[in-house]
């Protein structure tokens, strides 16, 4: 870390913890006669399950933006459209907006807008190849414990992946995300690559 005196200051945090969990639901509109696609709404919450008070070996707490969790409960709203497979390929588009509705200890994470588009290609009745492009805009954080000048930015990721149908109503999936564009405010840590995994269930 650059120091105004000209000397270098070394600081380190190491932790492996569960981050904030997102619980999402979807409601699909009734398809009109002759329609080949499915549209619907997405809604849910980001829950404050991740720790936001971790300290390093020297007892110095990490900045709130570096913590596994934000301490906030966020509302998530979105829309999606999915087109079934034609000659093997299917495609979808979805967008969502995330806003903190309850915060803790003087920190409010910036609102987020994300847009995702992708294609699917079934290999077998259960296994499918996936490819996505994920675009994210994040506003600056705010509050007494935030660092507005060092938060927020725009990101784009290319994400190949796989999905597997465990049953008629349960599907698991995983993606390997590679950044293709990153522009952040100030100086921030960013990931060179990441892995995303999840499950979806129909009711």
């Amino acid at each position: 870390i650059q120091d105004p005196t000209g000397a270098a200051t070394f600081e380190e945090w190491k932790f492996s913890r569960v981050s904030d969990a997102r619980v999402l639901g979807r409601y699909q509109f009734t398809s009109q006669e002759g329609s080949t696609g499915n549209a619907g709404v997405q809604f849910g919450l980001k829950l404050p399950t991740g720790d936001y008070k971790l300290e390093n070996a020297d007892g110095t707490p990490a900045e709130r933006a570096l913590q596994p969790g934000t301490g906030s409960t966020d509302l998530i709203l979105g829309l999606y459209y999915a087109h079934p497979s034609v000659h093997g390929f299917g495609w979808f588009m979805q967008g969502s907006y995330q806003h903190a509705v309850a915060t803790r200890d003087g920190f409010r994470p910036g609102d987020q807008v994300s847009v995702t588009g992708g294609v699917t290609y079934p290999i077998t009745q259960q296994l499918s190849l996936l490819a996505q492009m994920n675009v994210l805009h994040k506003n600056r954080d705010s509050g007494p414990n935030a660092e507005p000048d060092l938060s927020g930015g725009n990101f784009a990721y290319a994400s190949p992946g796989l999905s597997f149908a465990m049953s008629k109503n349960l599907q698991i999936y995983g993606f390997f995300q590679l950044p293709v564009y990153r522009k952040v405010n100030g100086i921030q840590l960013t990931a060179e690559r990441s892995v995303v995994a999840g499950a979806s269930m129909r009711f």
Side-chain angles (χ1 to χ4, degrees):
I1 299 176
Q2 186 175 2
D3 190 286
T5 64
T9 302
F10 179 78
E11 293 184 348
E12 180 182 54
W13 288 265
K14 283 189 177 182
F15 46 78
S16 178
R17 302 290 180 89
V18 173
S19 185
D20 290 341
R22 298 200 309 166
V23 180
L24 300 175
R26 286 184 173 186
Y27 178 81
Q28 183 173 304
F29 301 126
T30 302
S31 299
Q32 296 181 353
E33 186 175 352
S35 174
T36 57
N38 300 311
V41 295
Q42 179 177 270
F43 51 90
L45 294 172
K46 182 197 73 67
L47 304 174
T49 55
D51 198 336
Y52 63 96
K53 296 183 178 180
L54 291 181
E55 300 178 348
N56 63 9
D58 297 326
T60 303
E63 291 90 342
R64 288 292 294 271
L66 297 181
Q67 296 282 354
T70 65
S72 67
T73 300
D74 298 12
L75 178 67
I76 301 171
L77 297 172
L79 299 170
Y80 73 90
Y81 180 84
H83 195 280
S85 297
V86 177
H87 305 298
F89 281 96
W91 61 273
F92 72 94
M93 291 285 295
Q94 69 179 32
S96 65
Y97 171 70
Q98 182 172 318
H99 173 73
V101 294
T103 62
R104 296 181 184 176
D105 297 342
F107 180 79
R108 176 178 292 275
D111 292 356
Q112 297 185 36
V113 176
S114 63
V115 177
T116 298
V119 295
T120 64
Y121 183 80
I123 301 175
T124 68
Q125 289 186 340
Q126 292 178 297
L127 184 65
S128 295
L129 291 175
L130 308 173
Q132 291 186 3
M133 178 62 71
N134 312 103
V135 178
L136 171 67
H137 168 75
K138 185 179 183 299
N139 287 343
R140 298 174 188 267
D141 302 330
S142 60
N145 288 323
E147 295 180 301
D149 293 339
L150 305 177
S151 61
N154 298 300
F155 310 84
Y157 302 92
S159 307
L162 293 170
S163 69
F164 185 80
M166 303 289 290
S167 67
K168 181 180 179 181
N169 296 321
L170 176 62
Q171 184 181 64
I172 60 174
Y173 57 87
F175 292 97
F176 185 64
Q177 285 191 330
L178 295 170
V180 294
Y181 177 80
R182 290 174 291 182
K183 184 177 182 181
V184 300
N185 299 317
I187 299 173
Q188 299 182 44
L189 292 178
T190 59
E192 291 295 329
R193 64 195 66 85
S194 59
V195 176
V196 178
S200 62
M201 178 176 289
R202 294 180 181 179
F203 295 95

